[in-house]
Amino acid sequence: MIEKLLDSDVVFDWIPEDVQATIDARDTWLADLPPDQAGLAFLVSDLQRWTPGTVVTVAFLGGSSTLHREIADATKEITDIANLTLDFGPNAAAGQFRTWTTDDAVYSADIRVSFDRAGNFSLVGTDSISESIGLPTQAVGGRPHQRTLNLGGFDVRKPVRWQGTTRHEFLHAVGFQHSHQNMRGPCEAEFRWEDDDGYVPTRDADGRFIPDADGRRPGVYTYASGFPNNWDRAKVDHNLRTRELPGLVAGPFDRASVMLYRFEALFYKSQPSPCAPTGNGINLSAGDARALRLLYPTIGADLATVAARSTALLNTIGAEARTDIGLEDASPNRSFAVDAARVLRQRIADLGRSSTV
């Protein structure tokens, strides 16, 4: 399939259904927590950020050392801004990069990169070390033996904008969401969800939906159901429509963001569209940089705010989660509570140590 891809194809981020189901269940649980506690408004994004100032380790499954070096170099545009270190291995400077295997029983790294799954995707932030995300027998999830970030086929042929794709997925890995789902943006109203009236479903030789003989165009639902994505309507809704979750908005809609898909013109109702990207799809925008500084600040007062919000979230989750007991073992929410408490306690401890250095 990789050989059939065109540079113009829109290959959407794809998270397996079993993984997405656990993420949705976790987010629903978070949304149902008491609403009057401080910090709940951005609970999801607060929980998924890494601790500012810490080292997040990265390991590879497959691929050459040359490819590993190229990917590590591409992420420097992120770490040059954020108060965060991506560590690709103790000997990465000498070309020896950290690796992981699907037999790992303990974490080789926080972010575990692969190239052997279809498409490109990443878990968001600390979901990559959350054992409540995904199912233990599947390939993708938050356990030590599971993939958390995939760059499909990069070990065979890198796409034209591979640096942008790499930065896009690693921004997910440090806590970013898609720009087209920003509630402050125009994309929900701008997308042509349905086919032009009278459209006759027409595919090219590889299975892409294209305009029919009379020039009528497929809508987003139809386009996404063909090659290379093969998505049903439910997956389109979840991944492309605006999501009414407060944790998904870190700032105003940014047309230059590397987190905004470069859709084909047929996606939009108007030309030029206010949803269409103005960036080059490769480099971080000024808005991306501001968001990184917001998530991973260096100023002491901002770090104190992160610590205060983390403490508030830990209090929101409840005393039973703080002690890792209290919820019934059979409760589907127990693992979410335990994981959330673990992440927050570690962050508070890390921030406490950094403030005394």
Side-chain angles (χ1 to χ4, degrees), residues 20-329:
Q20 193 61 62
T22 57
I23 293 171
D24 291 344
R26 187 273 314 279
D27 291 352
T28 298
W29 168 71
L30 290 171
D32 286 341
L33 291 175
D36 58 341
Q37 299 294 324
L40 189 61
F42 285 88
L43 195 152
V44 175
S45 59
D46 268 359
L47 185 60
Q48 291 172 305
R49 81 164 93 198
W50 301 95
T51 308
T54 59
V55 174
V56 177
T57 54
V58 184
F60 295 99
L61 177 69
S64 67
S65 59
T66 298
L67 177 60
H68 301 167
R69 166 65 66 198
E70 291 172 333
I71 290 170
D73 286 347
T75 67
K76 290 179 181 177
E77 196 165 297
I78 297 172
T79 52
D80 283 349
I81 299 168
N83 182 16
L84 193 74
T85 298
L86 292 175
D87 180 352
F88 290 85
N91 296 314
Q96 298 175 14
F97 295 86
R98 185 181 291 105
T99 60
W100 69 280
T101 78
T102 56
D103 294 323
D104 288 350
V106 297
Y107 288 104
S108 295
D110 302 312
I111 298 171
R112 297 173 299 285
V113 181
S114 62
F115 307 102
D116 60 350
R117 302 286 103 175
N120 309 306
F121 60 80
S122 175
L123 298 184
V124 176
T126 57
D127 281 356
S128 67
I129 54 169
S130 172
E131 295 197 357
S132 62
I133 299 300
L135 302 177
T137 58
Q138 299 303 310
V140 180
R143 297 168 184 82
H145 65 281
Q146 294 176 311
R147 298 156 181 81
T148 69
L149 189 155
N150 188 71
L151 298 168
F154 271 43
D155 57 341
V156 177
R157 180 176 73 91
K158 300 193 300 296
V160 171
R161 295 188 179 89
W162 69 268
Q163 298 101 323
T165 300
T166 299
R167 290 165 187 146
H168 179 109
E169 298 307 336
F170 271 88
L171 281 175
H172 279 313
V174 301
F176 277 50
Q177 302 281 354
H178 283 136
S179 292
H180 62 266
Q181 292 182 292
N182 190 324
M183 291 182 290
R184 300 178 188 174
C187 295
E188 175 78 18
E190 262 295 299
F191 284 156
R192 293 181 50 261
W193 298 104
E194 304 295 346
D195 302 336
D196 286 341
D197 289 342
Y199 173 70
V200 177
T202 305
R203 297 179 187 244
D204 68 9
D206 290 325
R208 299 175 187 84
F209 280 100
I210 58 177
D212 65 19
D214 293 321
R216 292 170 295 211
R217 301 162 299 170
V220 171
Y221 285 120
T222 298
Y223 178 92
S225 70
F227 180 86
N229 297 289
N230 303 305
W231 281 6
D232 59 23
R233 290 177 73 96
K235 187 171 285 188
V236 170
D237 286 344
H238 193 283
N239 290 279
L240 298 184
R241 284 193 175 274
T242 296
R243 300 195 63 194
E244 299 296 329
L245 287 174
L248 297 183
V249 180
F253 178 71
D254 178 14
R255 290 183 64 187
S257 174
V258 77
M259 300 308 290
L260 183 61
Y261 276 132
R262 307 187 72 81
F263 295 111
E264 288 195 16
L266 65 79
F267 268 60
Y268 307 117
K269 293 178 180 177
S270 57
Q271 300 294 335
S273 171
C275 178
T278 58
N280 61 14
I282 297 174
N283 301 107
L284 272 59
S285 69
D288 293 331
R290 284 193 298 271
L292 280 170
R293 294 186 187 101
L294 175 68
L295 280 175
Y296 299 104
T298 58
I299 300 172
D302 292 335
L303 293 174
T305 298
V306 173
R309 290 177 69 86
S310 298
T311 301
L313 294 181
L314 187 57
N315 291 334
T316 298
I317 290 170
E320 58 275 349
R322 291 200 303 274
T323 58
D324 288 359
I325 58 174
L327 291 173
E328 294 295 331
D329 287 345

